[in-house]
Amino acid sequence: MNEISPTAEPARSRRTRYSLEFKQRLVQASFAPGASIARLAREHGLNANQLFNWRYQYRKGQLGPVSPSPLLLPVDIIDAMAAPASTSPTPQTASRLELTLAKGRLSIHGRPDPETLRLVLQVLTA
């Protein structure tokens, strides 16, 4: 008769347990410009869906504190000739940036402080 005694160790799970550090490193690597999630997952013996799930958890703060990563937004480039004429002439060196996001519109004239711009974009895209 095959009985399992209460002191016997349970059968090992076939699932691989990955450390939090490993998940964080792989997610950070997936945010690099030009990174392929499928290739990265394949190189580490993962299913790409697992890496997408870790990225989702990371963004929600479930894999520890979220460190700043490049913020990528869709961009529409408008031809200067097609843009409406301004009432006041602007020097050629002036820069202007307009973003229309779900939570609001951001218009920047001149050269903003990069840290301030990053914080504003994080709030508007969160």
Side-chain angles (χ1 to χ4, degrees), residues 51-101:
L51 184 49
F52 276 112
N53 186 33
W54 289 347
R55 286 167 50 104
Y56 175 77
Q57 291 173 351
Y58 181 83
R59 285 188 191 114
K60 292 190 76 154
Q62 296 172 346
L63 291 183
V66 177
S67 63
S69 62
L71 182 61
L72 304 177
L73 299 171
V75 174
D76 290 326
I77 299 175
I78 301 172
D79 186 4
M81 301 306 276
S86 174
T87 56
S88 62
T90 57
Q92 293 294 333
T93 59
S95 63
R96 182 174 171 207
L97 173 67
E98 287 189 27
L99 298 173
T100 304
L101 306 166

Coordinates of all heavy atoms in Angstrom, one line a residue, residues 51-101:
L51 N 7.2 37.7 -19.9 CA 7.9 39.0 -19.8 C 6.9 40.2 -19.9 O 7.0 41.2 -19.2 CB 8.9 39.1 -20.9 CG 9.9 40.3 -20.9 CD1 10.4 40.6 -19.5 CD2 11.0 40.2 -21.9
F52 N 5.9 40.1 -20.8 CA 4.9 41.1 -20.9 C 4.2 41.3 -19.5 O 3.9 42.4 -19.1 CB 3.9 40.9 -22.0 CG 4.3 41.3 -23.3 CD1 4.6 40.4 -24.3 CD2 4.4 42.6 -23.6 CE1 5.0 40.8 -25.6 CE2 4.8 43.1 -24.9 CZ 5.1 42.1 -25.9
N53 N 3.9 40.1 -18.9 CA 3.2 40.2 -17.6 C 4.1 40.8 -16.5 O 3.6 41.6 -15.7 CB 2.9 38.7 -17.1 CG 2.1 38.7 -15.9 OD1 1.3 39.6 -15.6 ND2 2.2 37.7 -15.1
W54 N 5.4 40.5 -16.5 CA 6.3 41.2 -15.6 C 6.4 42.7 -15.9 O 6.5 43.5 -14.9 CB 7.7 40.6 -15.7 CG 7.8 39.2 -15.2 CD1 6.9 38.5 -14.4 CD2 8.9 38.2 -15.3 NE1 7.3 37.2 -14.1 CE2 8.5 37.1 -14.7 CE3 10.1 38.3 -16.0 CZ2 9.4 35.9 -14.6 CZ3 10.9 37.2 -16.0 CH2 10.6 36.0 -15.3
R55 N 6.4 43.1 -17.1 CA 6.4 44.5 -17.5 C 5.2 45.2 -16.9 O 5.2 46.3 -16.4 CB 6.5 44.7 -19.0 CG 7.9 44.4 -19.6 CD 7.8 44.3 -21.1 NE 7.2 45.4 -21.7 CZ 7.8 46.4 -22.4 NH1 9.1 46.4 -22.5 NH2 7.1 47.3 -23.0
Y56 N 4.0 44.5 -17.0 CA 2.8 45.1 -16.5 C 2.9 45.2 -15.0 O 2.5 46.3 -14.4 CB 1.6 44.2 -16.9 CG 0.3 44.5 -16.3 CD1 -0.4 45.6 -16.8 CD2 -0.2 43.9 -15.2 CE1 -1.7 46.0 -16.3 CE2 -1.5 44.2 -14.7 CZ -2.2 45.3 -15.2 OH -3.4 45.7 -14.7
Q57 N 3.3 44.2 -14.3 CA 3.5 44.2 -12.9 C 4.5 45.3 -12.5 O 4.3 46.0 -11.5 CB 4.0 42.9 -12.3 CG 3.0 41.8 -12.5 CD 3.6 40.4 -12.1 OE1 4.8 40.3 -11.9 NE2 2.7 39.4 -12.0
Y58 N 5.5 45.5 -13.2 CA 6.6 46.5 -12.9 C 6.0 47.9 -13.0 O 6.2 48.7 -12.1 CB 7.7 46.3 -13.9 CG 8.8 47.3 -13.7 CD1 9.8 47.0 -12.8 CD2 8.9 48.4 -14.5 CE1 10.9 47.9 -12.6 CE2 10.0 49.3 -14.3 CZ 11.0 49.0 -13.4 OH 12.0 49.9 -13.2
R59 N 5.2 48.1 -14.0 CA 4.6 49.5 -14.2 C 3.6 49.8 -13.1 O 3.4 50.9 -12.7 CB 3.9 49.6 -15.5 CG 4.8 49.7 -16.7 CD 4.1 50.0 -18.0 NE 4.9 49.9 -19.1 CZ 4.8 49.0 -20.0 NH1 3.9 48.1 -20.0 NH2 5.7 49.0 -21.1
K60 N 3.0 48.7 -12.5 CA 2.0 48.9 -11.4 C 2.7 49.0 -10.1 O 2.1 49.1 -9.0 CB 1.0 47.8 -11.5 CG 0.1 47.9 -12.7 CD -1.1 46.9 -12.6 CE -2.0 47.6 -11.6 NZ -3.4 47.3 -11.6
G61 N 4.1 48.8 -10.1 CA 4.8 48.8 -8.8 C 4.8 47.5 -8.1 O 5.2 47.5 -6.9
Q62 N 4.4 46.4 -8.7 CA 4.3 45.2 -8.0 C 5.6 44.4 -8.0 O 5.7 43.3 -7.4 CB 3.2 44.3 -8.6 CG 1.8 44.9 -8.5 CD 0.8 44.2 -9.3 OE1 1.1 43.4 -10.2 NE2 -0.5 44.4 -9.0
L63 N 6.6 44.9 -8.7 CA 8.0 44.3 -8.7 C 9.0 45.2 -8.0 O 10.1 45.3 -8.4 CB 8.5 44.0 -10.1 CG 7.7 42.9 -10.9 CD1 8.4 42.7 -12.2 CD2 7.7 41.6 -10.1
G64 N 8.5 45.9 -7.0 CA 9.4 46.8 -6.3 C 9.2 48.2 -6.8 O 8.4 48.5 -7.7
P65 N 10.0 49.1 -6.3 CA 9.9 50.5 -6.7 C 10.2 50.7 -8.2 O 11.1 50.0 -8.7 CB 10.9 51.3 -5.9 CG 11.8 50.3 -5.3 CD 11.0 49.0 -5.3
V66 N 9.4 51.5 -8.9 CA 9.6 51.7 -10.3 C 10.7 52.8 -10.5 O 10.6 53.9 -10.0 CB 8.3 52.1 -11.0 CG1 8.5 52.4 -12.4 CG2 7.2 51.1 -10.8
S67 N 11.8 52.4 -11.2 CA 12.8 53.4 -11.4 C 12.5 54.1 -12.7 O 11.8 53.5 -13.6 CB 14.2 52.7 -11.5 OG 14.2 51.8 -12.6
P68 N 13.0 55.3 -12.9 CA 12.7 56.0 -14.1 C 13.2 55.3 -15.3 O 14.3 54.8 -15.4 CB 13.5 57.3 -13.9 CG 13.8 57.4 -12.5 CD 13.8 56.0 -12.0
S69 N 12.3 55.2 -16.3 CA 12.7 54.6 -17.6 C 12.3 55.5 -18.7 O 11.5 56.4 -18.4 CB 12.0 53.2 -17.7 OG 10.6 53.4 -17.7
P70 N 12.9 55.4 -19.8 CA 12.5 56.3 -20.9 C 11.0 56.3 -21.1 O 10.4 55.2 -21.2 CB 13.2 55.7 -22.1 CG 14.3 54.8 -21.6 CD 13.8 54.4 -20.2
L71 N 10.4 57.4 -21.2 CA 9.0 57.5 -21.4 C 8.8 57.7 -22.9 O 9.2 58.6 -23.5 CB 8.5 58.8 -20.7 CG 7.0 59.0 -20.8 CD1 6.2 57.9 -20.2 CD2 6.6 60.3 -20.0
L72 N 8.1 56.7 -23.5 CA 7.9 56.8 -25.0 C 6.4 57.1 -25.2 O 5.5 56.5 -24.7 CB 8.2 55.4 -25.6 CG 9.6 54.9 -25.3 CD1 9.8 53.5 -25.9 CD2 10.6 55.8 -25.9
L73 N 6.2 58.1 -26.1 CA 4.9 58.6 -26.4 C 4.8 58.6 -27.9 O 5.7 58.9 -28.6 CB 4.6 60.0 -25.9 CG 4.7 60.1 -24.4 CD1 4.6 61.6 -24.0 CD2 3.6 59.4 -23.7
P74 N 3.6 58.4 -28.5 CA 3.4 58.5 -29.9 C 3.5 60.0 -30.3 O 3.1 60.9 -29.6 CB 2.0 58.0 -30.2 CG 1.3 58.1 -28.9 CD 2.3 58.0 -27.8
V75 N 4.1 60.3 -31.4 CA 4.4 61.6 -31.9 C 3.9 61.8 -33.3 O 4.0 61.0 -34.1 CB 5.9 61.9 -31.9 CG1 6.2 63.3 -32.4 CG2 6.5 61.8 -30.5
D76 N 3.2 63.0 -33.5 CA 2.7 63.4 -34.8 C 3.6 64.6 -35.2 O 3.6 65.6 -34.4 CB 1.3 63.8 -34.8 CG 0.3 62.6 -34.7 OD1 0.7 61.5 -35.2 OD2 -0.7 62.8 -34.1
I77 N 4.2 64.5 -36.3 CA 5.1 65.7 -36.8 C 4.2 66.5 -37.8 O 3.8 65.9 -38.8 CB 6.4 65.2 -37.4 CG1 7.2 64.4 -36.3 CG2 7.2 66.3 -37.9 CD1 8.4 63.8 -36.8
I78 N 4.1 67.7 -37.5 CA 3.3 68.6 -38.4 C 4.2 69.5 -39.2 O 5.1 70.1 -38.6 CB 2.3 69.5 -37.5 CG1 1.4 68.6 -36.7 CG2 1.6 70.4 -38.4 CD1 0.6 69.4 -35.7
D79 N 4.0 69.5 -40.5 CA 4.9 70.3 -41.3 C 4.7 71.7 -41.0 O 3.6 72.2 -40.8 CB 4.5 70.0 -42.8 CG 5.4 70.7 -43.8 OD1 6.4 71.3 -43.4 OD2 5.1 70.6 -45.0
A80 N 5.8 72.5 -40.8 CA 5.8 73.9 -40.5 C 5.0 74.7 -41.5 O 4.3 75.7 -41.1 CB 7.2 74.4 -40.3
M81 N 5.0 74.3 -42.7 CA 4.3 75.0 -43.8 C 2.8 74.8 -43.7 O 2.0 75.7 -44.0 CB 4.8 74.6 -45.2 CG 6.3 74.8 -45.4 SD 6.8 76.5 -45.1 CE 6.4 77.2 -46.6
A82 N 2.4 73.7 -43.1 CA 1.0 73.4 -43.0 C 0.4 73.9 -41.7 O -0.8 74.0 -41.5 CB 0.7 71.9 -43.1
A83 N 1.3 74.3 -40.7 CA 0.8 74.8 -39.4 C 0.2 76.2 -39.6 O 0.6 76.9 -40.5 CB 2.0 74.8 -38.5
P84 N -0.8 76.5 -38.8 CA -1.4 77.8 -38.9 C -0.4 78.9 -38.6 O 0.5 78.8 -37.8 CB -2.5 77.8 -37.8 CG -2.3 76.6 -37.0 CD -1.4 75.7 -37.8
A85 N -0.5 80.0 -39.3 CA 0.4 81.1 -39.2 C 0.2 81.8 -37.8 O -0.9 82.0 -37.4 CB 0.2 82.1 -40.3
S86 N 1.3 82.1 -37.2 CA 1.3 82.8 -35.9 C 1.1 84.3 -36.1 O 1.5 84.9 -37.1 CB 2.6 82.5 -35.2 OG 2.6 83.3 -34.0
T87 N 0.5 85.0 -35.2 CA 0.2 86.4 -35.3 C 1.5 87.2 -35.0 O 1.6 88.3 -35.5 CB -0.9 86.9 -34.3 OG1 -0.5 86.5 -33.0 CG2 -2.2 86.3 -34.6
S88 N 2.4 86.6 -34.3 CA 3.7 87.3 -34.0 C 4.9 86.4 -34.6 O 4.9 85.2 -34.4 CB 3.9 87.5 -32.5 OG 3.9 86.3 -31.9
P89 N 5.8 87.1 -35.2 CA 6.9 86.3 -35.8 C 7.8 85.8 -34.6 O 8.0 86.4 -33.6 CB 7.7 87.4 -36.6 CG 7.3 88.7 -36.0 CD 5.9 88.5 -35.5
T90 N 8.3 84.5 -34.8 CA 9.1 83.9 -33.8 C 10.5 83.7 -34.5 O 10.6 83.4 -35.6 CB 8.5 82.6 -33.4 OG1 8.4 81.7 -34.5 CG2 7.2 82.7 -32.7
P91 N 11.5 83.8 -33.7 CA 12.9 83.6 -34.2 C 13.0 82.2 -34.6 O 12.4 81.3 -34.0 CB 13.8 84.0 -33.0 CG 12.9 84.2 -31.8 CD 11.5 84.3 -32.3
Q92 N 13.9 81.9 -35.5 CA 14.2 80.5 -36.0 C 14.7 79.6 -34.9 O 14.5 78.4 -34.9 CB 15.1 80.6 -37.2 CG 14.6 81.2 -38.4 CD 13.4 80.4 -39.0 OE1 13.4 79.2 -38.8 NE2 12.5 81.1 -39.7
T93 N 15.3 80.2 -33.8 CA 15.9 79.4 -32.8 C 14.9 79.0 -31.7 O 15.2 78.2 -30.9 CB 17.1 80.1 -32.1 OG1 16.6 81.4 -31.6 CG2 18.2 80.4 -33.1
A94 N 13.7 79.6 -31.7 CA 12.7 79.2 -30.7 C 12.2 77.8 -30.9 O 12.1 77.4 -32.1 CB 11.6 80.2 -30.7
S95 N 12.0 77.1 -29.8 CA 11.4 75.8 -30.0 C 10.0 75.7 -29.3 O 9.7 76.5 -28.4 CB 12.3 74.7 -29.3 OG 12.5 75.0 -27.9
R96 N 9.2 74.9 -29.8 CA 7.8 74.7 -29.3 C 7.4 73.3 -29.4 O 7.7 72.6 -30.4 CB 6.9 75.6 -30.2 CG 5.5 75.6 -29.8 CD 4.7 76.5 -30.6 NE 3.3 76.3 -30.3 CZ 2.3 76.6 -31.1 NH1 2.6 77.1 -32.3 NH2 1.1 76.4 -30.8
L97 N 6.8 72.8 -28.3 CA 6.4 71.4 -28.2 C 4.9 71.4 -27.7 O 4.6 72.0 -26.7 CB 7.3 70.6 -27.3 CG 6.9 69.2 -26.9 CD1 7.0 68.3 -28.1 CD2 7.8 68.7 -25.8
E98 N 4.1 70.7 -28.4 CA 2.7 70.6 -27.9 C 2.3 69.1 -27.9 O 2.6 68.4 -28.8 CB 1.7 71.3 -28.9 CG 1.8 72.8 -28.8 CD 0.7 73.4 -29.6 OE1 -0.4 72.8 -29.8 OE2 0.9 74.6 -30.0
L99 N 1.8 68.7 -26.8 CA 1.4 67.3 -26.6 C -0.1 67.3 -26.2 O -0.5 68.0 -25.3 CB 2.2 66.6 -25.5 CG 3.7 66.5 -25.7 CD1 4.3 66.0 -24.4 CD2 4.0 65.6 -26.8
T100 N -0.9 66.4 -26.9 CA -2.3 66.2 -26.5 C -2.4 64.8 -26.0 O -2.2 63.9 -26.7 CB -3.2 66.4 -27.7 OG1 -2.9 67.7 -28.2 CG2 -4.6 66.3 -27.3
L101 N -2.7 64.7 -24.7 CA -2.8 63.4 -24.0 C -4.2 63.2 -23.5 O -5.0 64.2 -23.4 CB -1.8 63.4 -22.9 CG -0.3 63.7 -23.3 CD1 0.5 63.9 -22.0 CD2 0.2 62.5 -24.1

